[in-house]
Amino acid sequence: MAGSELIRSARRRTIGVLALQGDVGEHERILGLLGARTTRVRRPEDLVCIDGLVLPGGESTTIDRLAREFGVRDALVARIRDGLPVFATCAGMILLADRIVGGIRDQQTFGGLDVTVRRNAFGRQNQSFETELSVAVLGEPPVHAVFIRAPVVEDPGRATPLAALDDGRVVAVEQGALLATAFHPEQTGDTRFHERFLAAT
């Protein structure tokens, strides 16, 4: 979809951003630049009128705990199962995965994305890194990807891998209207993943 056409289309969309912890403002800024209205999601009633949802990076165990404390978890799971388009980054990828490896005891996900994800696959915060990723569906140039205590997809299941590191580890996937990256497009100013998500809403 061409840029101006996307912006005209996005103006008719309301995108929820799960606002319990993490990169909420960064996603709101990019979605706003692309013409979408955004609303913060903390309670079940916040999910009623949205056309898509962003699960931001942060700490997956904290977001999981707060989602249950705020009483929004079950409604989130139901909307995702009903086909709500979702874009998930870093911790969001963990929360969207059907299966996780390396989670803490009793950690739950919202599910919906048929993948197995390993939590903290690259080690501690000081082992974070940046790299250039070839993402064929986005074309040129490569995506500058920021990995911060990032997960990795160990088994893509029914999802389609969109990007992998040089060692073959999958770091971006798509399954229908569900899109997930192990890295943080919201921190680099590259809008192409957000554009792809908006096109699915």
Side-chain angles (χ1 to χ4, degrees):
M1 186 179 295
S4 58
E5 184 182 350
L6 173 67
I7 289 175
R8 283 195 296 274
S9 176
R11 284 182 178 144
R12 297 190 291 272
R13 306 285 194 274
T14 298
I15 304 301
V17 180
L18 186 63
L20 300 175
Q21 193 236 11
D23 292 343
V24 176
E26 290 87 343
H27 282 289
E28 289 176 326
R29 183 181 61 78
I30 291 182
L31 291 165
L33 287 173
L34 295 172
R37 292 187 300 266
T38 61
T39 184
R40 295 191 174 193
V41 171
R42 294 190 181 95
R43 304 283 183 184
E45 55 267 30
D46 300 330
L47 289 161
V48 173
C49 296
I50 62 173
D51 301 300
L53 176 70
V54 170
L55 301 177
E59 174 52 56
S60 64
T61 56
T62 300
I63 297 173
D64 167 41
R65 176 177 55 79
L66 291 174
R68 285 181 270 171
E69 290 181 4
F70 277 70
V72 72
R73 182 183 186 282
D74 290 346
L76 272 171
V77 170
R79 286 295 315 265
I80 295 169
R81 286 179 179 169
D82 284 346
L84 181 71
V86 180
F87 178 30
T89 60
C90 196
M93 173 187 265
I94 298 170
L95 291 161
L96 193 59
D98 282 345
R99 300 168 296 278
I100 56 174
V101 176
I104 66 170
R105 184 179 179 186
D106 299 327
Q107 182 175 359
Q108 297 179 20
T109 72
F110 305 141
L113 186 64
D114 180 28
V115 298
T116 301
V117 167
R118 176 173 291 280
R119 179 172 169 265
N120 291 347
F122 301 97
R124 302 174 63 86
Q125 184 92 13
N126 61 6
Q127 294 172 298
S128 300
F129 64 98
E130 302 180 21
T131 190
E132 305 298 314
L133 280 177
S134 175
V135 184
V137 296
L138 300 183
E140 294 294 334
V143 171
H144 184 73
V146 178
F147 291 81
I148 305 171
R149 295 182 63 201
V152 70
V153 176
E154 289 206 337
D155 178 1
R158 291 184 294 127
T160 301
L162 298 182
L165 298 171
D166 289 343
D167 62 10
R169 287 186 288 181
V170 174
V171 291
V173 292
E174 186 173 53
Q175 179 186 326
L178 305 178
L179 176 65
T181 65
F183 49 91
H184 292 269
E186 76 279 6
Q187 293 192 2
T188 64
D190 189 327
T191 63
R192 289 177 289 173
F193 272 105
H194 290 81
E195 292 175 28
R196 189 170 181 84
F197 161 64
L198 285 174
T201 61

